[in-house]
Amino acid sequence: TMTSIIRFDSATPDVSTGPVNNPLEGEPQATTRNFFESPDQHFFAGIWESTKGKWPVSYTEQEFVHMLAGEAILTDEQGKAEHVKAGDSFVVQAGFKGTWESLGEVRKLYAIYE
Protein backbone atom coordinates (compact mmCIF):
# COMPACT_ATOMS: atom_id res chain seq x y z
CA THR A 1 0.00 0.00 0.00
CA MET A 2 1.27 3.43 -0.92
CA THR A 3 1.50 5.57 2.21
CA SER A 4 2.60 8.82 0.61
CA ILE A 5 3.59 10.58 -2.56
CA ILE A 6 6.55 12.95 -2.50
CA ARG A 7 6.02 15.81 -4.96
CA PHE A 8 9.18 17.65 -5.93
CA ASP A 9 7.22 20.87 -6.53
CA SER A 10 5.94 21.02 -2.95
CA ALA A 11 8.42 19.02 -0.82
CA THR A 12 11.30 20.64 1.02
CA PRO A 13 14.54 19.01 -0.13
CA ASP A 14 17.80 18.49 1.74
CA VAL A 15 20.11 20.90 -0.10
CA SER A 16 23.88 20.76 -0.38
CA THR A 17 26.01 23.13 -2.45
CA GLY A 18 29.73 23.38 -3.01
CA PRO A 19 32.67 22.82 -5.30
CA VAL A 20 32.98 19.54 -7.17
CA ASN A 21 35.80 17.32 -5.82
CA ASN A 22 39.03 17.07 -7.84
CA PRO A 23 38.03 19.11 -10.92
CA LEU A 24 40.08 18.39 -14.05
CA GLU A 25 38.82 21.53 -15.83
CA GLY A 26 37.18 24.70 -14.55
CA GLU A 27 35.90 25.38 -11.05
CA PRO A 28 32.54 23.59 -11.16
CA GLN A 29 30.01 24.15 -8.39
CA ALA A 30 27.24 21.63 -7.74
CA THR A 31 23.90 21.82 -5.95
CA THR A 32 22.00 18.71 -4.90
CA ARG A 33 18.34 18.92 -3.88
CA ASN A 34 17.52 15.50 -2.48
CA PHE A 35 13.74 15.21 -2.24
CA PHE A 36 13.57 11.58 -1.13
CA GLU A 37 15.70 9.09 0.77
CA SER A 38 14.32 5.64 1.58
CA PRO A 39 14.35 4.54 5.23
CA ASP A 40 17.05 1.95 4.42
CA GLN A 41 19.16 4.67 2.73
CA HIS A 42 19.47 2.69 -0.51
CA PHE A 43 17.21 4.80 -2.78
CA PHE A 44 17.43 8.55 -3.43
CA ALA A 45 15.68 10.94 -5.79
CA GLY A 46 16.08 14.61 -6.51
CA ILE A 47 17.49 17.31 -8.74
CA TRP A 48 21.20 18.00 -9.24
CA GLU A 49 22.78 20.98 -10.96
CA SER A 50 26.31 22.03 -11.82
CA THR A 51 28.21 24.79 -13.51
CA LYS A 52 30.68 24.22 -16.34
CA GLY A 53 33.62 21.91 -15.66
CA LYS A 54 34.97 18.38 -15.83
CA TRP A 55 35.76 15.93 -13.04
CA PRO A 56 36.39 12.22 -12.41
CA VAL A 57 33.45 10.00 -11.45
CA SER A 58 33.28 6.47 -10.06
CA TYR A 59 29.79 5.02 -9.63
CA THR A 60 29.03 2.53 -6.86
CA GLU A 61 25.30 3.15 -7.42
CA GLN A 62 22.81 2.62 -10.26
CA GLU A 63 21.54 6.02 -11.41
CA PHE A 64 18.60 6.88 -13.66
CA VAL A 65 19.03 10.37 -15.11
CA HIS A 66 16.65 12.64 -17.00
CA MET A 67 18.41 15.75 -18.27
CA LEU A 68 16.30 18.84 -17.54
CA ALA A 69 18.69 21.49 -18.89
CA GLY A 70 22.10 21.80 -20.51
CA GLU A 71 24.54 19.32 -22.00
CA ALA A 72 27.17 16.99 -20.62
CA ILE A 73 29.69 14.45 -21.87
CA LEU A 74 30.30 11.23 -19.92
CA THR A 75 33.49 9.47 -20.97
CA ASP A 76 34.45 6.03 -19.70
CA GLU A 77 37.98 4.85 -18.90
CA GLN A 78 38.30 3.38 -22.40
CA GLY A 79 37.57 6.79 -23.94
CA LYS A 80 34.01 6.05 -25.13
CA ALA A 81 32.03 9.28 -24.83
CA GLU A 82 28.27 9.80 -24.53
CA HIS A 83 26.95 13.30 -25.25
CA VAL A 84 23.69 13.92 -23.36
CA LYS A 85 21.42 16.95 -23.45
CA ALA A 86 18.15 18.32 -22.10
CA GLY A 87 15.36 15.80 -22.77
CA ASP A 88 17.63 12.74 -22.73
CA SER A 89 17.06 9.89 -20.26
CA PHE A 90 19.65 7.24 -19.44
CA VAL A 91 21.04 4.94 -16.75
CA VAL A 92 24.62 5.02 -15.46
CA GLN A 93 25.43 1.55 -14.17
CA ALA A 94 27.32 0.82 -10.97
CA GLY A 95 30.98 0.32 -11.83
CA PHE A 96 31.13 3.16 -14.40
CA LYS A 97 34.43 5.02 -14.06
CA GLY A 98 35.48 7.99 -16.13
CA THR A 99 34.65 11.67 -16.31
CA TRP A 100 31.59 13.90 -16.21
CA GLU A 101 31.89 17.15 -18.14
CA SER A 102 29.19 19.80 -17.86
CA LEU A 103 29.37 21.95 -20.99
CA GLY A 104 27.68 24.83 -19.17
CA GLU A 105 24.88 24.99 -16.63
CA VAL A 106 23.43 21.48 -16.28
CA ARG A 107 20.34 20.30 -14.38
CA LYS A 108 19.24 16.67 -14.06
CA LEU A 109 16.54 14.70 -12.32
CA TYR A 110 18.04 11.62 -10.67
CA ALA A 111 16.88 8.40 -9.07
CA ILE A 112 19.69 6.47 -7.42
CA TYR A 113 19.77 2.93 -6.06
CA GLU A 114 22.85 2.16 -3.94
Side-chain angles (χ1 to χ4, degrees):
T1 331
M2 190 179 319
T3 57
S4 63
I5 293 174
I6 313 307
R7 291 187 56 115
F8 287 17
D9 58 358
S10 58
T12 304
D14 288 329
V15 180
S16 61
T17 301
V20 171
N21 289 335
N22 307 312
L24 301 170
E25 292 176 17
E27 296 178 17
Q29 298 287 312
T31 300
T32 302
R33 290 177 178 81
N34 201 57
F35 286 90
F36 178 78
E37 180 177 324
S38 64
D40 65 5
Q41 298 185 327
H42 286 291
F43 182 72
F44 307 86
I47 295 173
W48 177 90
E49 306 175 75
S50 85
T51 58
K52 183 177 174 142
K54 182 177 181 179
W55 56 92
V57 291
S58 180
Y59 280 72
T60 57
E61 69 276 18
Q62 311 284 353
E63 180 180 24
F64 167 80
V65 174
H66 178 74
M67 295 288 287
L68 298 171
E71 297 180 58
I73 298 172
L74 285 87
T75 306
D76 68 18
E77 289 182 308
Q78 288 72 43
K80 183 178 184 306
E82 287 286 337
H83 184 184
V84 295
K85 62 188 183 320
D88 289 349
S89 298
F90 56 96
V91 170
V92 180
Q93 295 188 75
F96 177 87
K97 289 184 167 107
T99 59
W100 175 286
E101 180 177 8
S102 292
L103 300 179
E105 298 275 332
V106 169
R107 190 167 65 253
K108 70 179 184 182
L109 174 69
Y110 65 84
I112 291 172
Y113 179 75
E114 178 78 60

